[in-house]
Amino acid sequence: MRIRAVAVTAMLAFLLTPAVGCASSAPTPLPTNADLTGTWCGSSGDRIDLRQDGSSRLDPISDAYLSHLLQDLRDTWSDQYIWRTYFDGRRPASAQGTWLLSEYEDDDDHDDDDRWVRLDFGERKATAARDHESPQRYRFSDALLISHDSNGFELLALDGMPDEGWSSRFTPCSD
């Protein structure tokens, strides 16, 4: 009888071991507007204020994050041309607009569980004296990937797809 009890116990232990080893960890919490409302400090000194009413403010804008925001234009045009054509001749030091918590709606290139903070600082119109090849309008905006680790949520400005790395990282400001 004792041999049979040991055999049954051993068999149960053998059968339960894979099930325990395959147990998934707790799912990543989905962010809410309340989780994201507040001031976020960027790795390059930027500060993004996400307000409860859906408005946002970016002040100051570092050279690193501004370069990310203007990436599409910078592939073709110089800084001075961009400032003159879309920003009344001055490098933007701050921006105001709106923000929205969303899922990525584009295509199959993104994970369905990804959540994003979409920043919209408005559409910039080109000056009348623009180069005929430059776009007439430019959407001054960004989509920040929301990540979560043991310290909480963080926002990542990506260099392309999530596996290509980030150019700026934003965490809740402590002050």
Side-chain angles (χ1 to χ4, degrees):
M1 197 61 156
R2 184 171 153 100
I3 295 175
R4 185 179 221 192
V6 170
V8 169
T9 303
M11 181 61 86
L12 284 174
F14 176 74
L15 292 174
L16 292 177
T17 299
V20 172
C22 294
S24 62
S25 59
T28 301
L30 293 177
T32 65
N33 281 5
D35 293 324
L36 302 173
T37 299
T39 305
W40 296 78
C41 291
S43 54
S44 299
D46 315 273
R47 291 175 66 99
I48 298 176
D49 187 21
L50 303 178
R51 299 179 185 130
Q52 190 173 17
D53 66 0
S55 65
S56 65
R57 179 165 177 80
L58 174 59
D59 186 22
I61 305 174
S62 69
D63 288 338
Y65 190 55
L66 184 60
S67 181
H68 170 82
L69 288 170
L70 300 173
Q71 183 174 331
D72 294 341
L73 292 175
R74 284 215 166 139
D75 290 341
T76 308
W77 313 107
S78 70
D79 283 351
Q80 293 308 313
Y81 178 84
I82 294 169
W83 307 156
R84 190 172 58 249
T85 305
Y86 295 100
F87 295 95
D88 299 323
R90 293 182 299 275
R91 176 201 180 281
S94 65
Q96 292 189 58
T98 60
W99 73 280
L100 174 68
L101 170 61
S102 70
E103 295 180 29
Y104 206 86
E105 301 167 355
D106 209 5
D107 51 34
D108 294 334
D109 291 341
H110 296 280
D111 186 345
D112 290 339
D113 293 334
D114 287 346
R115 297 295 186 267
W116 301 80
V117 169
R118 294 184 183 273
L119 297 172
D120 185 355
F121 300 117
E123 189 173 74
R124 307 301 300 202
K125 294 180 183 176
T127 60
R130 71 180 175 85
D131 186 301
H132 72 280
E133 293 180 13
S134 65
Q136 197 169 19
R137 299 174 188 274
Y138 179 73
R139 170 104 6 233
F140 195 43
S141 62
D142 198 11
L144 303 171
L145 177 67
I146 302 170
S147 180
H148 186 274
D149 64 13
S150 61
N151 296 320
F153 292 106
E154 62 185 7
L155 309 175
L156 304 173
L158 299 179
D159 291 329
M161 302 303 293
D163 59 351
E164 294 177 25
W166 48 268
S167 60
S168 294
R169 176 177 170 237
F170 297 88
T171 55
C173 296
S174 58
D175 54 24

